[in-house]
Amino acid sequence: MGNVSPSACMEVKDGTHVAKVVLMPGDPLRAKYVAETYLQNPVLFNDVRGMLGYTGIYDGVEVSVMGSGMGIPSITLYSHELFTFYGVEGIIRIGSAGGVGDNVNVRDVVVAMSASTNSAAPSRYGLPGTIAPTADWGMLRDAVRIADEMGVRTSVGSVYSSDFFYYPDPAVAEKEKEAGLLAVEMESAGLYTEAMYAHKKALALFTISDHLFKPEHLSPEEIKTSFHEMMEIALKTAADTVRKLG
């Protein structure tokens, strides 16, 4: 499918299209890495503003991967355009996160069942009270099953989507831990809320790159290249979802 409606920050190239399910890392170069490493015959469908997007074949079905940028405003912009203008039915965020929970370790895979946030974005949708954005149950269930079959250590629960990378109050990490949150990142609440209102599917998976209460962290190069288990879980979940969508 080509560009069916004007969009602000994407333009699907002639002769290319976006698959029904899209993996979204924050870094567009990580999207390029995933496409070149895991997809057969990847084709670049978008490079506007350097936000690279590719469509290729994984396990016999079409899957796309595209960068989202950093933060809730960026991922909601791109997910809205993918859901609204390009026929996308599901988005799986793949990324890194900082561990918070005691039982979460560096390199673990976290599956975000729900996402709390300090962002004002969800409040702008007009629903009285507080929105509680959550993952699509079918994709979450499939991801956990696939991880179990692969023997990958996972934690399933709530994460915290922060508008701050460098939070002004360092004590906030203790509050996140006390609330039972597993990890902190910057996009999932926006993606889940956008999917909620678009009546589409969304899931967020993370490899823990560092821990706020443990002396462990991954280098930038390890963050870029060593997330193979999380990526494979996401790709297999995406392929299963495409098959179910028909």
Side-chain angles (χ1 to χ4, degrees):
M1 175 168 21
N3 188 354
V4 297
S5 181
S7 56
C9 290
M10 290 181 58
E11 184 176 352
V12 170
K13 296 175 179 293
D14 290 343
T16 68
H17 62 279
V18 188
K20 291 182 179 179
V21 179
V22 180
L23 273 59
M24 295 199 83
D27 185 350
L29 293 180
R30 194 180 300 167
K32 183 175 186 288
Y33 173 83
V34 172
E36 294 177 346
T37 304
Y38 293 100
L39 302 184
Q40 296 177 357
N41 304 318
V43 175
L44 180 72
F45 68 77
N46 181 76
D47 59 6
V48 176
R49 298 174 181 253
M51 198 56 73
L52 305 176
Y54 299 83
T55 297
I57 303 297
Y58 181 83
D59 195 21
V61 299
E62 282 193 329
V63 174
S64 292
V65 56
M66 177 179 164
S68 71
M70 293 181 67
I72 285 175
S74 188
I75 199 168
T76 54
L77 187 160
Y78 287 110
S79 62
H80 179 87
E81 294 193 359
L82 289 168
F83 285 144
T84 304
F85 303 139
Y86 298 105
V88 170
E89 295 295 329
I91 294 175
I92 302 176
R93 165 154 160 62
I94 53 173
S96 59
V100 176
D102 287 335
N103 295 324
V104 175
N105 298 314
V106 166
R107 295 187 184 272
D108 284 358
V109 173
V110 166
V111 184
M113 181 168 57
S114 63
S116 300
T117 185
N118 56 17
S119 172
S123 68
R124 299 300 183 258
Y125 286 80
L127 182 69
T130 302
I131 291 176
T134 59
D136 175 77
W137 164 242
M139 287 205 297
L140 185 147
R141 177 184 55 198
D142 287 347
V144 173
R145 172 183 55 79
I146 289 164
D148 286 345
E149 291 172 354
M150 292 173 58
V152 176
R153 175 185 164 95
T154 59
S155 295
V156 183
S158 298
V159 301
Y160 191 70
S161 300
S162 178
D163 273 350
F164 294 87
F165 188 87
Y166 300 106
Y167 201 87
D169 178 9
V172 70
E174 288 285 354
K175 297 174 183 177
E176 293 162 358
K177 182 178 179 181
E178 290 172 5
L181 299 171
L182 300 179
V184 59
E185 50 85 56
M186 298 184 70
E187 289 84 21
S188 299
L191 172 62
Y192 284 6
T193 305
E194 189 66 42
M196 172 182 172
Y197 276 89
H199 297 176
K200 299 296 179 78
K201 302 176 183 294
L203 179 66
L205 304 176
F206 309 97
T207 295
I208 299 301
S209 59
D210 61 282
H211 199 289
L212 278 65
F213 298 96
K214 300 178 183 180
E216 304 173 317
H217 69 277
L218 300 181
S219 70
E221 186 61 24
E222 288 174 317
I223 291 172
K224 181 180 177 182
T225 62
S226 68
F227 291 174
H228 298 293
E229 291 178 336
M230 181 265 294
M231 289 178 181
E232 289 187 23
I233 294 167
L235 284 160
K236 290 177 180 180
T237 302
D240 284 355
T241 303
V242 171
R243 292 188 186 95
K244 290 175 183 177
L245 288 168

